[in-house]
Amino acid sequence: MRTASARAVSTARVMRRRRYLMCRPAHFTVRYSINPWMDPGVPTSGETALGQWKRLHDLLVELGHDVDLLPPRPGLPDMVFAANGAVAVDGKALVARFRHPQRTGESAAYQQWFGDHGWSEVRQATQINEGEGDFLLAGDVLLAGSGFRSDPAAQLEAAEFFGLPVLGLTLTDPRFYHLDTALAVLDDDEVMYYPGAFDAESRKLLADRYPDAILATERDAEAFGLNAVSDGRHVVLARAAERLAGQLKERGFEPIGVELTELLKAGGGAKCCLLEIRHTQARRTVAHESAAHIPLPESHPA
Ligand code: ARG
């Protein structure tokens, strides 16, 4: 066991246990195109998608995170990208309003999930809002992307709903159409991003706020290396983003490469598959109380 003084001098990164919502790609395919990665003419394999997704799921569980599963619905091939379904902070869930009709049916599934799981403040966004695809919580500020999907007006709505400051960022490169394809939050005040995905004003905002940010190359951004998930220590990202993995190591993070090439055919990667669920203290207390009424196995020997 590490002593307190050893910890004080150690630069080791500390993992924070997270809860994620994921959705099995049971109906995954590419049959429409709503981003430059999607070509319905390119065949996809449901089996490969499932296998790659399952490895991501199992990895997160092995790392010690909690993963809840949202039941997939037929006819919604992009539903595997759970990040887009909502933004959930401190027990409040702002459910997505999708830009494209092909995905609008997904919102009801999130509305239902949060309702069924006892979240009292659940509301569908009135503005176009593609959830954690465009809204990333960094410490106590919401970084919010617009330009392709979420409407700039969604930023004010999110700021009011969550009572959090929002830093609006404008995306300009259609390959990086959601904020989470161009920027990843590594820790409360550390990020990595690809400057070429943003307009000049946003680049300035990012440089001012995060002068020490890791800057990704275009190549690593194209490999979806920024569509990464960090727990403060482990950073799960596309295996092909090798240079980025090296940059993360230099900063004391533990990069873990994953292969999600099948989902990339739909323009998605690791982060797209996860929605972080952040409960309030109140909610955790309620969960504890009800758990206390469930008899423990050892009090009922078989
Ligand atoms: N095909 C999906 C779309 O275009 C991919 C979504 C990826 N999700 C994300 N969080 N970037 O909407």
Side-chain angles (χ1 to χ4, degrees):
M1 242 234 171
R2 210 184 279 164
T3 64
S5 60
R7 182 174 292 154
V9 292
S10 163
T11 54
R13 297 281 180 174
V14 180
M15 163 198 164
R16 240 190 302 145
R17 187 170 167 189
R18 314 286 168 124
R19 177 173 288 273
Y20 299 113
L21 184 61
M22 293 182 78
C23 180
R24 205 159 47 86
H27 309 286
F28 177 75
T29 183
V30 175
R31 60 154 193 258
Y32 51 79
S33 179
I34 55 173
N35 71 54
W37 302 88
M38 301 176 86
D39 178 354
V42 174
T44 52
S45 157
E47 204 183 315
T48 307
L50 266 171
Q52 294 183 337
W53 177 90
K54 186 165 186 317
R55 280 193 286 282
L56 173 67
H57 169 277
D58 294 353
L59 169 67
L60 293 162
V61 172
E62 276 161 36
L63 289 174
H65 301 297
D66 297 308
V67 181
D68 285 356
L69 295 175
L70 178 73
R73 296 189 178 185
L76 298 169
D78 272 334
M79 210 175 153
V80 58
F81 302 117
N84 298 123
V87 181
V89 185
D90 283 346
K92 291 184 176 186
L94 189 57
V95 172
R97 182 171 296 274
F98 287 89
R99 178 161 299 276
H100 298 100
Q102 293 94 333
R103 296 197 68 183
T104 51
E106 296 178 35
S107 297
Y110 290 88
Q111 192 106 30
Q112 184 176 347
W113 190 88
F114 283 104
D116 288 351
H117 287 76
W119 290 52
S120 51
E121 270 193 82
V122 183
R123 193 172 83 195
Q124 187 183 13
T126 59
Q127 307 296 329
I128 302 288
N129 176 323
E130 298 210 346
E132 279 203 353
D134 278 324
F135 290 85
L136 297 171
L137 187 69
D140 51 13
V141 60
L142 265 178
L143 306 181
S146 65
F148 295 100
R149 296 295 181 85
S150 300
D151 204 276
Q155 297 172 4
L156 184 62
E157 184 179 20
E160 282 173 0
F161 183 69
F162 293 112
L164 286 171
V166 170
L167 186 72
L169 301 165
T170 305
L171 296 160
T172 53
D173 183 329
R175 290 172 300 172
F176 309 111
Y177 57 93
H178 275 141
L179 181 63
D180 72 355
T181 65
L183 181 148
V185 176
L186 298 169
D187 216 338
D188 282 354
D189 36 40
E190 282 181 85
V191 301
M192 57 180 182
Y193 65 97
Y194 170 54
F198 298 92
D199 73 357
E201 199 187 321
S202 307
R203 284 201 296 270
K204 167 114 179 46
L205 285 174
L206 285 168
D208 286 348
R209 189 171 181 103
Y210 304 107
D212 300 321
I214 293 178
L215 302 183
T217 60
E218 179 174 16
R219 198 158 160 220
D220 282 345
E222 264 210 302
F224 259 51
L226 293 165
N227 196 246
V229 198
S230 172
D231 62 22
R233 175 174 181 162
H234 312 101
V235 182
V236 178
L237 79 169
R239 187 167 297 154
E242 288 174 0
R243 194 175 153 166
L244 201 51
Q247 290 167 283
L248 286 162
K249 259 190 214 153
E250 276 167 27
R251 304 284 181 104
F253 291 101
E254 274 180 48
I256 305 175
V258 288
E259 192 114 313
L260 289 164
T261 45
E262 209 54 30
L263 299 182
L264 188 54
K265 293 177 182 170
K271 170 67 191 90
C272 298
C273 295
L274 307 178
L275 175 61
E276 191 171 341
I277 300 299
R278 304 173 187 87
H279 286 309
T280 49
Q281 197 54 45
R283 155 92 185 135
R284 274 196 288 266
T285 309
V286 171
H288 254 95
E289 278 166 6
S290 52
H293 299 298
I294 301 166
L296 296 169
E298 48 267 38
S299 63
H300 291 261

